[in-house]
Amino acid sequence: MSKVAVVYWSQSGNTEAMAEAIAEAAGANAVEVSSFQPSEVADYDAFAFGCPAMGDEELDDDFEEVWNACVPNFDGKPVALFGSYDWGTGEWMETWKDAATAAGVNVVDTVIANLEPDDEALEKLAALGKSLAE
């Protein structure tokens, strides 16, 4: 079983709920991004990073700082991206995924939810957590 890090930032609690669903299925703990150090990447086999869409469909600045510091250390390990949004189309996730892939990150899946994750999103998140833990 893989050791999974579930790292997130949440403003309204929606992305936190998503992180908790992944963590529960993966047998892991969800960790707020301010409590995660990029040096910890070496301690894990797989990752789920979550951030809601902010401003003009972009990542939160503080979250992005930690994310960018982690990127060079993933070394091909599987990484899933997730987050919630309130308006727009979810374009921030495609932008984030494309940038991560271009930087060499092994993005294995993405899950987004409009506001609070519904039952379908929660099922996808649980399946994601299980697959990361395998």
Side-chain angles (χ1 to χ4, degrees):
M1 187 161 186
S2 295
K3 186 174 179 186
V4 179
V6 181
V7 182
Y8 72 94
W9 183 82
S10 186
Q11 183 173 24
S12 65
N14 295 330
T15 300
E16 181 178 11
M18 297 175 79
E20 293 294 341
I22 294 169
E24 182 179 337
N29 293 315
V31 178
E32 210 279 332
V33 70
S34 64
S35 298
F36 189 80
Q37 299 299 316
S39 61
E40 294 177 78
V41 169
D43 299 336
Y44 293 91
D45 304 307
F47 304 87
F49 272 79
C51 185
M54 301 298 296
D56 190 23
E57 293 219 36
E58 54 199 22
L59 298 174
D60 172 75
D61 290 339
D62 293 333
F63 175 89
E64 191 168 24
E65 183 178 328
V66 173
W67 165 257
N68 287 337
C70 290
V71 166
N73 302 317
F74 288 133
D75 295 326
K77 296 175 183 178
V79 178
L81 308 177
F82 66 96
S84 62
Y85 65 101
D86 184 7
W87 56 272
T89 61
E91 181 181 333
W92 103 103
M93 184 58 71
E94 286 303 314
T95 302
W96 184 14
K97 178 184 176 187
D98 291 346
T101 301
V105 177
N106 177 19
V107 178
V108 295
D109 203 356
T110 64
V111 179
I112 62 173
N114 184 258
L115 299 173
E116 186 176 346
D118 60 14
D119 289 343
E120 181 181 343
L122 290 171
E123 287 176 22
K124 288 180 183 177
L125 293 161
L128 176 60
K130 287 177 186 173
S131 70
L132 289 172
E134 291 178 345

